[in-house]
Amino acid sequence: MSERGLHRRLLDEVLSGSGVWPAVPAILVLTFVAVIPFFILLSLGFSDIVVSRGVIVSQDFSLSHLTTAISDPLYRITFQRSLTLALSTTVLCVLLGFPVAYLYLIGKPWLRRVILVLTIAPILTSGIVRTYSWIVILGGRGVVNSLLLDLGLIEAPLRIINTPWAVIIGMVQVHLPIMILPLIAVMSRHDRRLDEASANLGASRLGTLRHVVLPLSIGGIGTGAALVFTLSYTTFVVPQLLGGGNYLNAATMIYEQVVYSLEWSKGAVTALLLMTSCLVVLAAITWLTNLGTRWTRVSQR
């Protein structure tokens, strides 16, 4: 009877959606699409494998690929470039996204709708399409060079495409909406009475922005920065198309090792280093965000 009661209680919990049961399908999906592939990747990174016609013939445990990757200057330069690109993109997205979100906060309803449409519309377009549009804009006979030539500011077309500057421009444009949306979500919950109280106490609009709006938006800045950094640090399309064949970052290195060289162990080690370093930076962003919000709570007291 107790066993039947236990089964009936479990069935009631499943049907009612209580406890952990609603999360079971998501856990199963994540197990098959994330956890199991991760351990397969981990096994490849710490193995010497022999591949014949796309099939692993032998696999022996080894740390040689990891030690080689850590000591190889090419890996250090590549990851440094990827980290610099991701941090630069994140900082520029914060600097450009915060004014847009603040304009959404103080704007009229029609202006808010325009900002939302202009922010969401690029996300609905493929990143490849947006990246190819920058090739047309920044090319030798693109919009920018044609305009500068017509104005007489330059005598010959500037070399913008296939440079790090083109990569940064494309990265910021592609990932800027990912920064704006969390800021808008946080600022939408902003109590405008705090702004009125700040103005009544003699603060200017700039002072209110600095001492009231900005501290209360740290959570949105941290969330947007984490999303933008993750996407920028692991991106493949934008550097490959706008940086040219000579622009190598961690994602393109993994692609070349796995697809072109068929060095699966090296590609697995590079992917593990990329994921580990990304988690370290995300932990730092989370810590700084928590520190900022803690300071905000203390200052509000």
Side-chain angles (χ1 to χ4, degrees):
M1 293 296 293
S2 61
E3 186 176 354
R4 172 183 282 183
L6 178 61
H7 291 167
R8 178 172 296 179
R9 189 171 63 207
L10 291 176
L11 181 60
D12 292 339
E13 289 183 357
V14 172
L15 295 178
S16 63
S18 60
V20 299
W21 293 105
V24 170
I27 293 174
L28 293 176
V29 171
L30 288 176
T31 300
F32 283 101
V33 303
V35 177
I36 295 177
F38 171 76
F39 282 103
I40 294 175
L41 179 68
L42 190 66
S43 66
L44 293 177
F46 292 95
S47 304
D48 280 329
I49 60 175
V50 177
V51 181
S52 177
R53 297 181 179 180
V55 179
I56 298 177
V57 178
S58 63
Q59 182 175 358
D60 300 321
F61 178 78
S62 175
L63 295 175
S64 60
H65 299 290
L66 180 61
T67 56
T68 301
I70 294 176
S71 60
D72 191 348
L74 178 61
Y75 279 82
R76 291 198 297 269
I77 295 173
T78 303
F79 275 89
Q80 182 181 358
R81 177 182 296 172
S82 300
L83 183 61
T84 302
L85 175 63
L87 291 177
S88 300
T89 303
T90 303
V91 171
L92 290 174
C93 284
V94 171
L95 295 178
L96 296 176
F98 187 84
V100 177
Y102 181 68
L103 185 61
Y104 177 88
L105 174 66
I106 65 176
K108 296 181 179 180
W110 68 268
L111 182 59
R112 293 188 174 189
R113 288 192 291 270
V114 170
I115 291 175
L116 278 180
V117 170
L118 294 179
T119 302
I120 297 176
I123 301 179
L124 303 179
T125 307
S126 172
I128 299 178
V129 175
R130 285 184 282 168
T131 304
Y132 270 114
S133 67
W134 280 110
I135 297 178
V136 176
I137 295 172
L138 302 177
R141 291 296 177 181
V143 177
V144 174
N145 278 313
S146 298
L147 180 61
L148 294 177
L149 288 171
D150 293 339
L151 294 176
L153 298 178
I154 57 175
E155 297 180 356
L158 298 176
R159 184 177 179 270
I160 306 176
I161 205 69
N162 296 336
T163 63
W165 293 108
V167 176
I168 292 179
I169 292 173
M171 295 278 283
V172 172
Q173 191 273 331
V174 169
H175 298 121
L176 185 58
I178 308 300
M179 173 62 70
I180 295 176
L181 290 178
L183 285 172
I184 288 179
V186 171
M187 289 187 177
S188 298
R189 301 194 299 266
H190 179 71
D191 191 351
R192 297 300 301 273
R193 292 176 298 179
L194 297 175
D195 299 345
E196 297 174 359
S198 176
N200 292 333
L201 292 174
S204 62
R205 183 179 291 273
L206 182 60
T208 301
L209 173 64
R210 177 182 177 184
H211 297 288
V212 178
V213 178
L214 181 58
L216 294 177
S217 305
I218 291 179
I221 294 175
T223 302
L227 293 173
V228 171
F229 176 82
T230 302
L231 295 174
S232 302
Y233 192 51
T234 59
T235 188
F236 169 77
V237 174
V238 178
Q240 187 74 4
L241 295 180
L242 296 182
N246 296 326
Y247 193 92
L248 183 66
N249 67 337
T252 55
M253 176 183 280
I254 295 171
Y255 176 79
E256 292 179 357
Q257 289 173 338
V258 174
V259 176
Y260 288 139
S261 303
L262 297 179
E263 297 175 324
W264 295 357
S265 296
K266 288 185 178 180
V269 166
T270 308
L272 290 174
L273 292 176
L274 179 66
M275 183 182 64
T276 303
S277 56
C278 182
L279 291 177
V280 170
V281 178
L282 288 180
I285 294 175
T286 303
W287 178 77
L288 291 175
T289 303
N290 293 334
L291 185 64
T293 54
R294 188 182 303 117
W295 171 81
T296 303
R297 291 194 296 267
V298 171
S299 62
Q300 288 178 344
R301 293 178 184 175

